[in-house]
Amino acid sequence: MENGNSNGHRHAGWDPLNWGAAAEAWKGSHLDEVRRMVREYRKPVVGLGGESLTVAQVAATAAGGGGVVVVELREEARDGVNASSEWVMESMNKGTDSYGVTTGFGATSHRRTKQGNALQKELIRFLNAGIFGNGTESTHTLSQSATRAAMLVRINTLLQGYSGIRFEILEALTKLLNHDITPCLPLRGTITASGDLVPLSYIAGILTGRPNSKCVGPSGKPLGPTEAFQLAGIKGGFFELQPKEGLALVNGTAVGSGLASIVLFEANVLAVLSEVLSAVFAEVMQGKPEFTDHLTHKLKHHPGQIEAAAVMEHILDGSSYVKEAKKLHEMDPLQKPKQDRYALRTSPQWLGPQIEVIRSSTKSIEREINSVNDNPLIDVKRNKALHGGNFQGTPIGVSMDNTRLAIASIGKLMFAQFSELVNDFYNNGLPSNLSGGRNPSLDYGFKGAEVAMASYCSELQFLANPVTNHVQSAEQHNQDVNSLGLISSRKTAEAVDLLKLMSSTYLVALCQAIDLRHLEENLKNTVKNTVSQTAKKVLIMGTNGELRPSRFCEKDLLKVVDREQVFSYIDDPCSASYPLMQKLRQVLVQHALDSGEDLKILGNSIFLKIGAFEDELKNLLPKEVESTRSAFESENLAIPNRIKECRSYPLYKFVREELKGEYLTGEKIRSPGEVFDKVFSAICEGKVIDPLLQCLEDWNGAPLSIC
């Protein structure tokens, strides 16, 4: 007796409802799971046996045409597959009445026929109901990657030997995959209820040589069925489908679950990226790291939140930015609010549930792609055909709706963080719009990017609306409830694409902020040195070598420089309308008043030295500032970039060195979008994965001790 024993007593492995196996799959951290997914994604061979296919393997096969990934069928599955096929033929020969073998389909299953082969041929013909829009500007063809994913998942299902199809057909599908020959499937037309009937029928159309069927070859060239078979090395001509084989090919959830697999592989990576970017945001915003303290999150109990906080805590632990920010907070506790705003301080609480949802959806889809989901199911051992509804793709529709909501929430947090970063009312001293040039009147930095981010975020929030509550009764009210699985997968793929647009823009903005902090630190050092030099020259010694009372001003003058935000004055540092010169003058005046100077003693009067001090500063400071900017541009600054001492450095290095994504200013021709495009393409190609994981390579999977 499976999952138990004959007398009904439970034993250690008793799990008849599969909850134990589902719970077991949740063990370990989300990051460890993503690492495993990446390893699987990069393996050159996908071995199919029907029960161990992963989301990562589907994503890899979808992306890896042209021999990058080779699909191999496990030979031990052959006997079981052929046994179910033989059972169908024997059953029909005996006169057994079986759905889709001797009957019509769906609401017309009351019809009967003994022409089993002709019935399968008609099934494929009438399901070829999709529209491609050939010759029109819009495309209505499913992506090649989604089609490859669907083929792989369908093969995996059929390998389990419950579907009544010959092993040779699965071998032919595998050859098409391995030779990078992809059938053209319509983008729309399925409700993923009796499976993805319409799109899958076009794969069957290639196998049976239907003249309207088309493929795309390795070079992108359109192919007909004959050319496709020749190029793939499929011998023996087109298949004449035996009873049940057409139904086995089309009556499954492979298109929805295949695309869902691609989506979830990317969503898991983007979820980790959002955690790391939140930590980098804390670094460049001079945030207070206590928001990651483990006790706070331990008391909330949610594992996603606890892990998100621990990931951010690891990035921030020992960060040079955090150490410097601590000094600033101690120097002037009132310079910024006691607590950081929600987009920073509650980022673990916000991201944690989204990661839990994405992880749960991943588990659900991995169960689906390893399921047998056609009808009827052929139970050779019990000598019967089971009529049920495993083709109902509800796990796909629900998982994709939930994932899309999680992706939209991640995007909303990203937009909130971005909005703070570019706003000089909130970004703790960075220039408005992250403008990087000398003249802010001719440099508007990331202003266009902020508008674009609002656009992406708005569309993403719209996509967060569910698909699965828009069910229409279909097929003469036989399919009166249906999952809309592929539609939801398609909308979630759109959401992932939007989140990649947002992540690209945001990552470039964070790199800009990192460089601006570097420039800021060096400019402040330059201003301090120049003010100190000027004070020593003008304020300390009198004309006859006597010490002046003004010699005590230097310390307070340097405090002004420390506390004044550099970018509030640096474009014209000696302007009387900017805060630096105003506050330096205030220090000198206050010292004169506090010392009770006798203005009659002209040689020692601080009042009379203010003009000389300012004139000397006006003579020196603009030159020194320009010299520092020039050193910044030639990467020859006195104080090195703090990012190199941080765990987040691999992402910065990836953008600046590997992708050559440059620092943006209005003084250059390069537009922001050109850099965003580089990063977006790299994210789409999976190139961000290695630097992302390098940021966390020495994390032990646990929060810092609170003892």
Side-chain angles (χ1 to χ4, degrees), residues 20-41:
E24 185 71 22
W26 278 80
K27 288 187 176 180
S29 72
H30 175 245
L31 179 61
D32 281 343
E33 188 162 39
V34 171
R35 286 169 172 156
R36 173 188 61 77
M37 292 170 72
V38 171
R39 289 194 298 271
E40 288 175 347
Y41 183 87

Side-chain angles (χ1 to χ4, degrees), residues 145-156:
S145 59
T147 300
R148 289 177 59 82
M151 293 168 72
L152 183 76
V153 172
R154 197 71 201 131
I155 294 167
N156 193 59

Side-chain angles (χ1 to χ4, degrees), residues 132-413:
F132 293 91
N134 294 327
T136 64
E137 186 174 338
S138 59
T139 177
H140 294 273
T141 303
L142 191 70
S143 68
Q144 292 182 50
S145 59
T147 300
R148 289 177 59 82
M151 293 168 72
L152 183 76
V153 172
R154 197 71 201 131
I155 294 167
N156 193 59
T157 288
L158 299 175
L159 275 174
Q160 296 183 54
Y162 292 94
S163 301
I165 190 170
R166 284 167 288 169
F167 196 81
E168 289 82 356
I169 295 178
L170 309 189
E171 289 178 312
L173 284 171
T174 304
K175 286 181 178 179
L176 290 172
L177 271 178
N178 287 338
H179 287 82
D180 198 14
I181 299 168
T182 309
C184 296
L185 275 55
L187 180 65
R188 296 177 176 85
T190 177
I191 52 178
T192 319
S194 189
D196 292 310
L197 295 169
V198 169
L200 286 172
S201 74
Y202 285 84
I203 296 176
I206 291 292
L207 294 171
T208 57
R210 281 194 57 79
N212 65 304
S213 297
K214 297 288 184 290
C215 288
V216 176
S219 63
K221 177 185 174 184
L223 303 173
T226 300
E227 293 172 292
F229 266 47
Q230 289 174 348
L231 197 58
I234 301 171
K235 309 296 184 184
F238 300 121
F239 290 94
E240 182 178 348
L241 297 180
Q242 295 178 0
K244 179 64 169 69
E245 288 186 330
L247 202 58
L249 287 168
V250 304
N251 195 199
T253 62
V255 188
S257 60
L259 181 53
S261 298
I262 299 170
V263 164
L264 284 166
F265 178 79
E266 294 189 320
N268 276 280
V269 172
L270 290 172
V272 176
L273 180 62
S274 70
E275 293 173 304
V276 174
L277 294 186
S278 290
V280 180
F281 176 64
E283 289 183 305
V284 298
M285 288 287 286
Q286 299 174 339
K288 299 176 180 179
E290 68 178 295
F291 78 97
T292 66
D293 188 279
H294 177 51
L295 180 61
T296 298
H297 306 284
K298 179 182 178 183
L299 295 174
K300 189 81 167 176
H301 308 299
H302 298 293
Q305 175 184 329
I306 293 170
E307 180 170 351
V311 166
M312 295 179 205
E313 180 184 54
H314 177 73
I315 296 293
L316 297 177
D317 181 42
S319 165
S320 183
Y321 291 102
V322 171
K323 293 174 184 176
E324 185 64 17
K326 184 179 180 182
K327 294 177 186 176
L328 292 173
H329 300 154
E330 290 171 350
M331 179 181 71
D332 189 355
L334 301 180
Q335 193 169 8
K336 61 174 287 182
K338 175 68 174 174
Q339 303 181 120
D340 291 303
R341 292 175 182 82
Y342 284 16
L344 194 163
R345 180 161 44 101
T346 71
S347 52
Q349 289 88 344
W350 185 272
L351 289 174
Q354 321 314 332
I355 290 165
E356 290 178 16
V357 165
I358 291 170
R359 197 173 184 192
S360 174
S361 297
T362 303
K363 300 302 178 187
S364 179
I365 295 301
E366 285 197 335
R367 289 192 290 271
E368 183 67 22
I369 61 179
N370 288 291
S371 70
V372 180
N373 44 60
D374 48 318
N375 177 60
L377 302 179
I378 308 305
D379 186 348
V380 176
K381 288 183 180 178
R382 293 193 292 168
N383 193 33
K384 64 194 298 186
L386 296 170
H387 297 85
N390 275 3
F391 47 63
Q392 183 71 274
T394 312
I396 305 167
V398 171
S399 294
M400 288 292 93
D401 273 8
N402 290 340
T403 298
R404 200 164 57 256
L405 182 59
I407 289 168
S409 295
I410 293 172
K412 177 58 186 172
L413 178 70

Side-chain angles (χ1 to χ4, degrees), residues 401 404-405 408 460-470 491:
D401 273 8
R404 200 164 57 256
L405 182 59
L460 186 54
Q461 302 315 302
F462 168 76
L463 286 172
N465 288 291
V467 166
T468 53
N469 62 346
H470 294 282
K491 295 299 143 187

Side-chain angles (χ1 to χ4, degrees), residues 408 411-412 415 448-463 494-495 497-506 673 676 680:
K412 177 58 186 172
F415 181 62
E450 188 181 9
V451 174
M453 284 285 276
S455 167
Y456 305 148
C457 192
S458 295
E459 187 175 352
L460 186 54
Q461 302 315 302
F462 168 76
L463 286 172
E494 290 180 33
D497 216 35
L498 284 163
L499 187 59
K500 287 191 282 190
L501 290 171
M502 296 187 75
S503 300
S504 306
T505 306
Y506 187 35
F676 302 158
F680 176 74

